[in-house]
């Protein structure tokens, strides 16, 4: 009976042994992979400072597609030490992030050990055939160097991993600048052009400068890599000229986004010059001051979206205004209406 039990135990152990070995091997491999690829060894295509073992790297890609997509990769390596360094890029492969399929490189211009001199840029090239564009699917380059595995993602750093910078807009109001807006921008990103509009609909600023003297205009194609302060000066939405106690409105310079154009009120008499408010489809409503005394030719023509004219005075005062312009029939005049 004892011999029978012992025989059964040995048989069971022999049957289970391969499973134990397989489970053990699987755990070890997965652990090794985790240890090989540390988070500090993962970079993104747009990283400005990829430094591996005192060597700065930058990567650029281009591709052509005939039957398959031929990816051409340029690696620029720069030694930052004051002595020669040996670079050996081992086991390079291109990997599809989603499928985990690996694609081998070909046509490389480098083999084995590469000697890098201090501060001399060295370009290394290789090709890989992949089934889809690296611009439409996520791929990464993986290679070994100095006993460690590194990964270069061939796509930009996600916004959630980017540092945020503040762009501060300072508007000049005599005698100092005052803050009118702050915008948060992710590192190495552009942002949409900001146009200041005053709450009273009288002023705007669409040009910003990087210096208080307003001599260096900000380039809206710039990528933000640090906190930035921009400086501007406000201008009236319409062009005015004054002489001998009279103010003339000569043209529209800027229409606020809501389409409301306000003509400022002055202590002097106000006149709309020939074609001052003319040929502008951004204007939906116009506010005219009580001081308006004369409307010259051509005003309110070619303003297809104009629906209302607000006048700060009464209907009697409106009718007393000398005018050689015609109000379109679809435009409503609202009296005693001041913005």
């Amino acid at each position: 009976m004892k011999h029978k039990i012992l025989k059964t135990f040995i048989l069971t152990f022999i049957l289970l042994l391969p499973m134990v070995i397989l489970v053990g091997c699987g755990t070890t491999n997965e652990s090794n992979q985790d240890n090989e690829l540390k988070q500090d060894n993962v970079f993104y295509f747009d990283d400005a400072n990829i430094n591996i073992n005192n060597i700065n790297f930058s990567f650029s890609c281009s591709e052509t597609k005939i039957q398959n997509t031929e990816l051409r990769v340029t690696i620029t390596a720069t030694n930052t030490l004051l002595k020669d360094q040996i670079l050996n890029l081992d086991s390079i492969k291109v990997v599809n992030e989603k499928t985990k399929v690996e694609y081998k490189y070909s046509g490389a211009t480098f083999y084995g050990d590469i000697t890098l001199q201090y501060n001399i840029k060295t370009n290394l090239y290789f090709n890989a055939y992949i089934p889809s564009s690296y611009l439409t699917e996520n791929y990464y380059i993986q290679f070994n160097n100095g006993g460690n595995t590194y990964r270069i993602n061939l796509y930009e750093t996600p916004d959630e991993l980017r540092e945020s910078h503040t762009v501060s807009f300072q508007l000049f109001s005599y005698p100092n600048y005052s803050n009118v807006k702050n915008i948060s921008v992710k590192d190495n990103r552009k942002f949409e052009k900001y146009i200041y509009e005053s709450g009273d609909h009288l002023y705007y600023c669409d040009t910003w400068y990087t210096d208080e003297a307003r001599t260096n205009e900000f380039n809206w194609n710039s990528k933000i890599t640090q906190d930035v302060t921009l400086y501007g000066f406000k201008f009236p939405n319409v062009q005015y000229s004054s002489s001998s106690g009279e103010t003339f409105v000569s043209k529209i310079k800027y229409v606020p986004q809501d389409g409301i154009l306000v003509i400022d009120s002055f202590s002097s008499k106000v006149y709309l010059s020939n074609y001052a408010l003319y040929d502008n489809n951004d204007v939906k409503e116009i506010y005219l001051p009580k001081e308006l005394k004369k409307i010259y030719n051509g005003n309110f023509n070619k303003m297809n979206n104009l629906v209302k004219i607000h006048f700060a005075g009464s209907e009697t005062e409106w009718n007393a205004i000398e005018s050689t312009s015609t109000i379109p029939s679809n435009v409503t005049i609202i009296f005693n209406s001041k913005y």
Side-chain angles (χ1 to χ4, degrees):
M1 184 66 179
K2 291 182 180 179
H3 291 293
K4 185 176 182 181
I5 293 172
L6 180 60
K7 184 177 181 181
T8 303
F9 173 77
I10 294 172
L11 181 61
T12 303
F13 178 78
I14 292 172
L15 290 172
L16 290 176
L17 184 59
M19 294 180 63
V20 173
I21 294 173
L22 284 174
V23 171
C25 288
T27 303
T28 302
N29 287 342
E30 185 176 347
S31 177
N32 287 341
Q33 288 177 359
D34 290 341
N35 290 334
E36 285 178 357
L37 192 59
K38 302 174 183 177
Q39 191 58 42
D40 290 344
N41 294 352
V42 177
F43 301 92
Y44 290 86
F45 193 55
D46 59 334
D47 283 346
N49 185 25
I50 301 176
N51 190 286
I52 299 174
N53 299 330
N54 297 304
I55 299 174
N56 283 338
F57 289 87
S58 64
F59 296 79
S60 62
C61 294
S62 61
E63 61 183 18
T64 57
K65 185 173 180 62
I66 302 176
Q67 184 176 4
N68 298 301
T69 298
E70 182 182 4
L71 177 68
R72 296 188 295 274
V73 180
T74 302
I75 304 174
T76 302
T78 307
N79 176 14
T80 62
L81 291 182
L82 294 173
K83 61 180 181 179
D84 288 357
Q85 276 204 91
I86 300 300
L87 171 65
N88 189 313
L89 299 177
D90 186 32
S91 303
I92 290 182
K93 53 193 171 186
V94 178
V95 184
N96 184 296
E97 186 175 78
K98 182 179 180 180
T99 64
K100 304 303 181 186
V101 174
E102 301 175 358
Y103 299 93
K104 296 181 178 180
Y105 73 94
S106 61
T109 60
F110 55 92
Y111 299 95
D113 292 344
I114 306 162
T115 301
L116 300 179
Q117 293 184 298
Y118 167 68
N119 210 27
I120 299 297
K121 296 181 184 297
T122 302
N123 289 332
L124 313 172
Y125 307 91
F126 73 88
N127 300 334
Y129 287 96
I130 54 179
S132 58
S133 171
Y134 80 101
L135 299 173
T136 57
E137 284 197 67
N138 288 346
Y139 287 86
Y140 60 86
I141 300 170
Q142 187 167 300
F143 59 86
N144 298 329
N145 179 258
N148 291 313
T149 301
Y150 297 91
R151 167 174 165 170
I152 312 298
N153 294 315
L154 297 183
Y155 53 89
E156 292 188 343
T157 309
D159 279 350
E160 59 267 22
L161 298 180
R162 293 174 184 264
E163 181 184 358
S164 293
H165 303 296
T166 299
V167 180
S168 174
F169 292 88
Q170 303 284 328
L171 195 66
F172 184 77
S173 181
Y174 184 82
N176 300 309
Y177 283 95
S178 60
N179 179 264
V180 292
K181 191 175 182 68
N182 290 327
I183 294 178
S184 179
V185 182
K186 292 294 184 179
D187 182 65
N188 211 32
R189 293 292 196 200
K190 303 175 186 178
F191 65 103
E192 292 184 1
K193 182 176 182 178
Y194 168 63
I195 300 178
Y196 165 79
E197 297 179 357
S198 64
D200 57 10
H201 280 63
L202 294 177
Y203 298 96
Y204 78 103
C205 176
D206 64 351
T207 305
W208 300 91
Y209 300 85
T210 58
D211 60 316
E212 291 189 49
R214 303 192 301 277
T215 57
N216 300 312
E217 187 173 340
F218 177 69
N219 182 356
W220 293 98
N221 287 320
S222 300
K223 293 184 177 180
I224 303 302
T225 57
Q226 61 185 356
D227 290 349
V228 175
T229 300
L230 300 179
Y231 303 89
F233 188 88
K234 64 181 182 180
F235 295 93
N237 293 337
V238 296
Q239 184 169 299
Y240 300 98
S241 61
S242 298
S243 177
S244 303
E246 297 177 329
T247 299
F248 290 84
V249 178
S250 56
K251 69 176 182 179
I252 299 171
K253 295 176 65 179
Y254 176 78
V255 179
Q257 293 184 17
D258 59 10
I260 297 175
L261 187 68
V262 177
I263 307 303
D264 202 359
S265 58
F266 297 87
S267 57
S268 59
K269 297 176 181 180
V270 177
Y271 303 86
L272 297 185
S273 301
N274 291 326
Y275 303 98
L277 309 182
Y278 167 80
D279 194 16
N280 192 306
N281 291 330
D282 292 330
V283 179
K284 299 175 182 177
E285 300 183 38
I286 298 174
Y287 282 80
L288 298 174
K290 192 174 182 178
E291 293 80 8
L292 182 62
K293 299 303 178 184
K294 187 170 182 178
I295 302 173
Y296 286 89
N297 297 329
N299 285 283
F300 317 119
N301 289 340
K302 294 187 177 182
M303 304 182 78
N304 295 330
N305 292 317
L306 178 63
V307 293
K308 293 179 182 178
I309 293 177
H310 299 260
F311 179 59
S314 65
E315 183 175 1
T316 300
E317 289 172 309
W318 173 263
N319 292 331
I321 296 173
E322 183 180 350
S323 177
T324 52
S325 290
T326 302
I327 306 295
S329 59
N330 64 311
V331 175
T332 303
I333 301 176
I334 303 174
F335 305 107
N336 300 307
S337 179
K338 186 176 181 180
Y339 189 80

